[in-house]
Amino acid sequence: MNWKGLVKNVAPTIGAALGGPAAGTAVKFLADRFLGDPEADEKDLAELVLNSSPEQLAELRKLDNEFRVQMRQLDIDVFALEVDDRKDARGMAAKTSLTPQIILSCLFIAGYFGLIWALFSGQVVMTPDIEKTSTLMLGVITGAMPMILQFWFGSSQGSKDKTAQMAAQKPG
């Protein structure tokens, strides 16, 4: 288990802050209160959290209440920030135009077939080293093409489908 997941299980408010836009505040708070070193970084915190005793984890739970009160005094809802952060990312993905994806994919595919033509047409003179390198590149690109197309089209479509499904489930 990673250290942030452990913190989220023991101290949900601090864990939520670590996973969102308030991560810097949560790290600073933990470094100061849990580690006793305001200058400590995430690596130091990770080491301490992962090697914590049950007593230290109980202390972390107490610090979670203190952190929650401190955030409330600053009028910050850590859980709302985390939800808003994800909602903004989904909204941005839903608004993304497919035009750049289509243009880049067409350029990529044209380059791919151009490389095939250069290798196998016999009209381009290549040295054996260039031919070996080009053949290797062709193999790598052939293997990567499904992943590249899935990245451009599959992930965007999946985000749109999730957004549409969430909108359909909302009451009202």
Side-chain angles (χ1 to χ4, degrees):
M1 173 179 272
N2 69 19
W3 76 276
K4 289 182 182 180
L6 181 60
V7 170
K8 193 166 191 164
N9 285 336
V10 175
T13 307
I14 296 173
L18 285 171
T25 305
V27 168
K28 182 87 170 142
F29 178 85
L30 283 176
D32 185 33
R33 302 281 169 74
F34 192 56
L35 202 61
D37 179 10
E39 301 302 316
D41 60 4
E42 280 194 38
K43 182 182 172 191
D44 299 326
L45 284 171
E47 189 176 322
L48 177 66
V49 169
L50 291 173
N51 298 317
S52 294
S53 66
E55 293 80 22
Q56 288 172 314
L57 292 176
E59 177 64 27
L60 182 59
R61 183 175 292 281
K62 289 178 188 175
L63 288 174
D64 188 59
N65 292 330
E66 188 180 327
F67 184 74
R68 184 181 308 122
V69 168
Q70 188 177 29
M71 291 295 104
R72 206 173 289 145
Q73 288 172 346
L74 296 172
D75 200 28
I76 296 173
D77 184 352
V78 175
F79 296 104
L81 283 176
E82 184 182 31
V83 169
D84 289 344
D85 190 42
R86 272 192 247 127
K87 186 169 49 173
D88 289 345
R90 282 192 187 114
M92 188 175 75
K95 294 177 188 174
T96 303
S97 168
L98 283 179
T99 305
Q101 296 169 357
I102 291 169
I103 291 170
L104 287 171
S105 297
C106 288
L107 289 173
F108 177 78
I109 291 170
Y112 175 75
F113 285 112
L115 181 59
I116 291 174
W117 177 82
L119 282 173
F120 299 112
S121 70
Q123 295 183 16
V124 177
V125 178
M126 288 195 211
T127 65
D129 289 338
I130 292 176
E131 188 174 350
K132 286 179 186 175
T133 304
S134 298
T135 306
L136 179 66
M137 286 174 43
L138 183 64
V140 170
I141 293 170
T142 301
M145 191 174 291
M147 291 184 292
I148 292 167
L149 295 174
Q150 176 65 29
F151 172 78
W152 283 114
F153 297 105
S155 63
S156 297
Q157 187 60 45
S159 295
K160 288 179 184 176
D161 291 346
K162 283 182 189 175
T163 303
Q165 186 179 19
M166 288 178 62
Q169 289 177 352
K170 282 188 181 178

